[in-house]
């Protein structure tokens, strides 16, 4: 092998080595993550694949931002909402309400989806059940 060939081979080996180091760093970062968990711009609000349809929730719970907003719409204060969920600190309730303030379109879309379901799907299902009951299929 000539000196030029040795230098070219050494350069290629160094490049592969640097790539391996970068890949190891990425794997280490990925290993430290919770699978399917996506952090949001709020400290206590996350999305978790398979939990509440991936909608924003209070971290470590199945309590959605939409649910907290729903309680607030009934006139409940954050302190009163926290009393309903003693395992959730008031700071997390406040963060859920702050998330709503920063992302109202997203949470309003969830309310609209729920309203559509209540207005269309439930009557449709009730009609199916009534039809089956009239046939004598259900007791």
């Amino acid at each position: 092998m000539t000196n030029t060939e040795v230098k070219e081979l050494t350069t290629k080996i160094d490049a592969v080595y640097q790539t391996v180091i970068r890949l190891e760093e990425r794997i280490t970062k990925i290993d430290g993550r919770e699978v399917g968990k996506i952090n949001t711009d709020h400290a206590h609000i996350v999305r978790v694949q398979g939990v509440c349809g991936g909608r924003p929730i209070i971290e470590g719970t199945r309590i959605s931002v939409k649910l907290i907003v729903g309680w607030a719409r009934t006139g409940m204060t954050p302190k009163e909402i926290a009393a309903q969920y003693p395992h959730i600190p008031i700071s997390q309730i406040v963060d859920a309400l702050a998330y709503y303030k920063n992302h109202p379109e997203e949470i309003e879309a969830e309310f609209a989806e729920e309203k559509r379901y209540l207005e269309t799907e439930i009557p449709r299902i009730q009609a199916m059940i009534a039809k089956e009951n009239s046939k004598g299929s259900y007791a």
Side-chain angles (χ1 to χ4, degrees):
M1 254 185 175
T2 67
N3 277 346
T4 304
E5 291 172 330
V6 169
K7 285 182 183 179
E8 287 176 4
L9 185 57
T10 302
T11 301
K12 288 179 182 178
I13 291 171
D14 286 343
V16 168
Y17 178 71
Q18 291 303 317
T19 301
V20 168
I21 289 173
R22 284 192 304 275
L23 288 172
E24 286 175 341
E25 289 170 353
R26 289 179 69 189
I27 289 169
T28 300
K29 284 182 183 178
I30 290 170
D31 281 346
R33 292 185 199 161
E34 189 175 319
V35 177
K37 177 180 160 188
I38 300 170
N39 292 319
T40 67
D41 55 342
H42 286 258
H44 303 291
I45 308 302
V46 297
R47 296 169 182 279
V48 179
Q49 182 180 359
V51 177
C52 296
R55 294 180 175 95
I57 59 171
I58 295 174
E59 186 170 18
T61 73
R62 297 180 67 85
I63 306 296
S64 69
V65 170
K66 180 182 146 290
L67 179 64
I68 299 302
V69 171
W71 282 117
R73 286 183 175 178
T74 68
M76 292 177 74
T77 66
K79 187 175 181 180
E80 292 170 328
I81 296 169
Q84 297 290 318
Y85 305 98
H87 62 289
I88 301 176
I90 194 165
S91 59
Q92 292 180 337
I93 302 295
V94 171
D95 198 27
L97 294 169
Y99 183 92
Y100 171 69
K101 272 194 159 183
N102 292 339
H103 305 278
E105 314 81 27
E106 176 184 356
I107 306 305
E108 290 301 328
E110 289 183 39
F111 279 112
E113 179 184 341
E114 180 180 60
K115 182 179 179 186
R116 183 204 62 80
Y117 179 80
L118 292 171
E119 291 175 348
T120 61
E121 294 302 311
I122 290 178
R124 184 181 67 79
I125 292 168
Q126 288 172 332
M128 286 173 40
I129 291 170
K131 183 178 177 181
E132 290 299 315
N133 280 341
S134 69
K135 293 179 183 177
S137 298
Y138 296 116

